[in-house]
Amino acid sequence: MWDELVLAARAVLEDVWLYNNNSFLIPLFLTALLFLWVTETDRRLRVVLLYLVVAAGVVFLCPVYAWIGMRIDADIYYRVLWSMPAGILVCYSVVRLIAHFKRRMSRALVFVMAVLLIMMNGELVYTHSLHIRSVNAYHIPQSVIDVADALKLDNYKPIAVLPAELLPFFRQYTADVFTPYGRNILEPSWTFHNELYDAMEGDRTAYDVAEVARCARNNHCAFVVLSCAKQMNGSMEEQGYFLFRFVQGYFIYMDYSYYWVWKEQGLLDADVIEAGG
């Protein structure tokens, strides 16, 4: 038990170090906290900005609570730090500090120094490699939108299996197409398993078409979306599928067994009927 508490304490210190991220965010936050503790007289603000923040900090740093939280989910325990209103405290402290000066020149000087200090503490996020210029109003890859629009039917919500790179964004755009698994399967720590996913993503360079088709039928998928970046070992047509559409580098195949049933029931759109006929 003692060893586990020590490990939890070390993990907490590591989270704090990573949260600071080679900056002086935490020293700045603690300075603002101390400043408000001395100068703030409004009782309601002291409760919200001081007492609750200190209590949350003590709870987060407590090895016993950390041990309990990490046993529940160690990968997200650090998010407790998000409850710390660091930005609010720093900005409010700057406003309080500026209010202490009477001359405009002094206020302007403090304001400029505070802005420069905050700017030096971080970096421009839009220069980061993970940020790209948006190409649509949804702020997701256009290929996801085009594939989703191609899969959607007016009278029915089909099940479609997608390549892994589409999963993180697909549900952000539409709920009109079901999938046998979602983005949660991409997280190794969640230990989800699906044989269809293994068939789709087991080989990074090629699809075993027969295995993909078999697993897709077992998961009741009417549509199978395959990336043109990977080779196909076999033919989807030989497995009872037809090519419905090619969109943004993705082949969209439909299972003929669903096509004929849905056609008789009047569930298919005209473009699907034309492609299958």
Side-chain angles (χ1 to χ4, degrees):
M1 178 65 179
W2 174 254
D3 292 339
E4 292 181 350
L5 291 178
V6 171
L7 291 176
R10 289 179 179 176
V12 168
L13 293 179
E14 182 179 354
D15 286 341
V16 172
W17 179 263
L18 293 174
Y19 181 79
N20 198 56
N21 194 26
N22 297 324
S23 67
F24 44 90
L25 173 62
I26 291 181
L28 189 62
F29 167 67
L30 294 177
T31 300
L33 185 64
L34 179 60
F35 174 76
L36 291 178
W37 196 280
V38 175
T39 61
E40 183 57 59
T41 57
D42 190 308
R43 184 174 179 275
R44 292 173 297 178
L45 290 178
R46 289 185 68 87
V47 170
V48 175
L49 296 180
L50 299 176
Y51 303 148
L52 292 180
V53 170
V54 171
V58 170
V59 169
F60 176 79
L61 295 172
C62 175
V64 176
Y65 180 80
W67 174 72
I68 296 174
M70 291 180 183
R71 284 181 65 88
I72 297 174
D73 196 332
D75 291 334
I76 65 172
Y77 180 75
Y78 72 95
R79 295 182 183 180
V80 177
L81 286 172
W82 296 355
S83 64
M84 300 291 185
I88 295 176
L89 258 69
V90 171
C91 293
Y92 181 62
S93 297
V94 170
V95 173
R96 292 276 301 180
L97 182 61
I98 293 174
H100 278 287
F101 295 90
K102 303 301 181 183
R103 298 177 57 185
R104 291 185 178 179
M105 184 62 68
S106 299
R107 291 185 173 185
L109 182 61
V110 172
F111 173 77
V112 172
M113 292 179 61
V115 170
L116 291 176
L117 184 63
I118 294 174
M119 291 175 61
M120 292 171 56
N121 188 58
E123 60 183 19
L124 184 61
V125 296
Y126 297 109
T127 61
H128 196 280
S129 60
L130 293 179
H131 291 82
I132 59 176
R133 184 177 296 276
S134 175
V135 295
N136 52 64
Y138 299 94
H139 300 276
I140 60 177
Q142 187 62 39
S143 58
V144 176
I145 296 176
D146 292 343
V147 169
D149 287 342
L151 290 170
K152 287 191 292 185
L153 301 177
D154 291 337
N155 302 311
Y156 193 78
K157 291 185 178 182
I159 302 176
V161 59
L162 309 170
E165 65 269 19
L166 301 182
L167 293 175
F169 312 101
F170 193 79
R171 194 58 68 220
Q172 297 179 42
Y173 176 67
T174 182
D176 292 329
V177 180
F178 296 117
T179 56
Y181 47 79
R183 59 170 291 273
N184 50 5
I185 204 168
L186 303 178
E187 299 291 338
S189 60
W190 292 353
T191 64
F192 286 105
H193 176 74
N194 184 287
E195 70 168 351
L196 177 54
Y197 177 81
D198 293 339
M200 290 284 291
E201 308 299 334
D203 189 333
R204 295 184 178 181
T205 61
Y207 294 108
D208 183 341
V209 169
E211 181 67 8
V212 169
R214 183 187 69 82
C215 294
R217 286 197 173 101
N218 290 342
N219 284 265
H220 312 291
C221 297
F223 291 97
V224 175
V225 181
L226 302 178
S227 172
C228 70
K230 297 171 66 172
Q231 297 180 351
M232 296 189 192
N233 296 330
S235 169
M236 290 294 287
E237 285 78 6
E238 293 177 356
Q239 303 300 322
Y241 288 78
F242 67 90
L243 179 61
F244 164 54
R245 190 172 295 177
F246 179 76
V247 179
Q248 292 277 8
Y250 293 96
F251 297 101
I252 302 178
Y253 290 94
M254 185 175 186
D255 190 337
Y256 261 122
S257 60
Y258 286 95
Y259 173 83
W260 295 119
V261 173
W262 291 355
K263 183 178 180 181
E264 292 179 0
Q265 296 176 352
L267 299 176
L268 295 180
D269 299 348
D271 56 340
V272 183
I273 296 175
E274 181 180 355

